[in-house]
Amino acid sequence: MAPPPRYSELKEDSSSSSSLLSEEGTAYDGHVINPTRRQWTANTRWIIILFTSLISTNIFTMLITSKAVQSNHKAAFIPPYGIPPFFNDVSLQLKPQQIYAPLYDRDHSLYRKHDSPETEVAWRELTQLDSGLLLLPKEQAAQVGIDPKKHAYWNNPEKGLVGHPVRLEATHQLHCLNLLRRYSYFHYNYTSEYDAEPLKQVPFHYRRIHVDHCVDYLRNRLMCLSDMGLIPYFWLGDEGDVVGDMSRTFTCRNYESVRQFVKAKAEPADGRAKPKPGDYVLYDYI
């Protein structure tokens, strides 16, 4: 029978085993696990998670930024609630358009003439004020912010008057500009002569209020649009004076398509439709 091993031999064998394990890994359930490999696997997992998170965050940021940019881009041309299907027949495509509006009337514009009945007719045709109001279908009202509890609804199918009466911003703004032009160019009697028929019955006090409304309305609208286009200058003479270049290119809609739509679709507000009991009614201008 061989003698038992001495302590020094046991210690030596233990050291050899520990050394072997430290080089090859840790014994677990009959398998050898390399701690270096285990650490690398954990690091790789975290690197993948971090990399995936960064990509996801960047994609999310790009989507949000893109949406914000698109929203800001559309703000000047499209109402915040969008354009209802009612206007599908109108050509609303944006396109670059050069606008020439010099200080002197070099192109003899019909819209700039003074004391001209032809000019008055041209402006009234441009604004379509005499055409009346458009009738927006009830099912499209919520999309454009119409409150059915307050806003008028015409319900006279016998005369073809069914829908919420509305007026386009584009024609309203041109109407305001026309009113300012007329009351700036002409004396009161001449201006009144060319008023639309319903306006001829309005007292002068309300006419003055109307002009004030137009000035303030256009002021707010121009501030709202905040057109960021630039006007360059030409040298004017040899002494350092300059004059603005009034022939610039803008991104525009086809207003003629809008005008023709209003002309074809509008209905006169002549009392053929009246409020029913319980409707929200005002008794003075707002």
Side-chain angles (χ1 to χ4, degrees), residues 86-87 133-155 161-167 265 267 276 279:
F86 182 62
F87 298 108
L133 302 175
L134 298 171
L135 297 181
L136 187 73
K138 179 186 294 186
E139 58 272 16
Q140 299 180 30
Q143 180 181 345
V144 299
I146 288 178
D147 184 350
K149 295 181 179 179
K150 288 188 175 182
H151 295 120
Y153 183 76
W154 289 3
N155 190 16
L161 303 178
V162 178
H164 289 280
V166 298
R167 190 182 297 280
K265 299 282 188 179
E267 294 284 351
K276 64 180 184 296
D279 280 352

Side-chain angles (χ1 to χ4, degrees), residues 41 61 104 108 146 151 194:
T41 303
T61 302
Y104 298 111
H108 306 289
I146 288 178
H151 295 120
Y194 286 95

Side-chain angles (χ1 to χ4, degrees), residues 48-62:
I48 293 174
I49 293 174
L50 178 61
F51 186 70
T52 304
S53 299
L54 288 174
I55 292 178
S56 302
T57 302
N58 287 338
I59 292 175
F60 180 74
T61 302
M62 289 173 62

Side-chain angles (χ1 to χ4, degrees), residues 50-259:
L50 178 61
F51 186 70
T52 304
S53 299
L54 288 174
I55 292 178
S56 302
T57 302
N58 287 338
I59 292 175
F60 180 74
T61 302
M62 289 173 62
L63 290 174
I64 293 298
T65 303
S66 173
K67 186 175 181 180
V69 169
Q70 291 177 4
S71 176
N72 289 337
H73 171 71
K74 293 191 299 184
F77 303 103
I78 298 180
Y81 41 72
I83 299 175
F86 182 62
F87 298 108
N88 283 346
D89 293 337
V90 182
S91 175
L92 297 178
Q93 183 178 3
L94 301 175
K95 65 177 182 179
Q97 179 175 325
Q98 190 172 34
I99 294 178
Y100 180 58
L103 181 63
Y104 298 111
D105 187 14
R106 301 186 184 281
D107 61 350
H108 306 289
S109 170
L110 178 61
Y111 298 105
R112 294 179 63 161
K113 295 186 181 302
H114 295 213
D115 301 323
S116 167
E118 292 78 15
T119 294
E120 296 303 310
V121 172
W123 269 98
R124 287 172 67 172
E125 183 67 20
L126 186 70
T127 61
Q128 286 300 309
L129 181 65
D130 297 335
S131 293
L133 302 175
L134 298 171
L135 297 181
L136 187 73
K138 179 186 294 186
E139 58 272 16
Q140 299 180 30
Q143 180 181 345
V144 299
I146 288 178
D147 184 350
K149 295 181 179 179
K150 288 188 175 182
H151 295 120
Y153 183 76
W154 289 3
N155 190 16
N156 190 343
E158 292 81 9
K159 296 185 177 180
L161 303 178
V162 178
H164 289 280
V166 298
R167 190 182 297 280
L168 270 181
E169 285 281 9
T171 56
H172 176 214
Q173 290 164 18
L174 282 170
H175 152 72
C176 280
L177 183 59
N178 183 38
L179 191 68
L180 296 176
R181 173 196 67 86
R182 296 171 67 228
Y183 276 79
S184 298
Y185 281 11
F186 309 122
H187 55 78
Y188 170 70
N189 290 332
Y190 180 84
T191 304
S192 302
E193 180 183 347
Y194 286 95
D195 269 336
E197 192 61 37
L199 296 180
K200 290 183 177 181
Q201 311 303 322
V202 176
F204 176 70
H205 171 68
Y206 283 109
R207 294 171 185 264
R208 186 168 55 194
I209 291 176
H210 196 165
V211 174
D212 292 341
H213 150 76
C214 287
V215 171
D216 208 43
Y217 178 78
L218 291 177
R219 175 186 65 82
N220 279 282
R221 184 57 180 155
L222 292 174
M223 291 170 62
C224 171
L225 291 174
S226 293
D227 189 338
M228 301 302 289
L230 301 176
I231 301 175
Y233 281 79
F234 297 119
W235 287 116
L236 181 64
D238 300 324
E239 301 301 324
D241 290 334
V242 291
V243 60
D245 179 4
M246 294 294 104
S247 179
R248 310 301 299 152
T249 300
F250 299 87
T251 302
C252 302
R253 282 209 174 105
N254 182 357
Y255 180 74
E256 180 60 20
S257 176
V258 175
R259 189 187 70 83

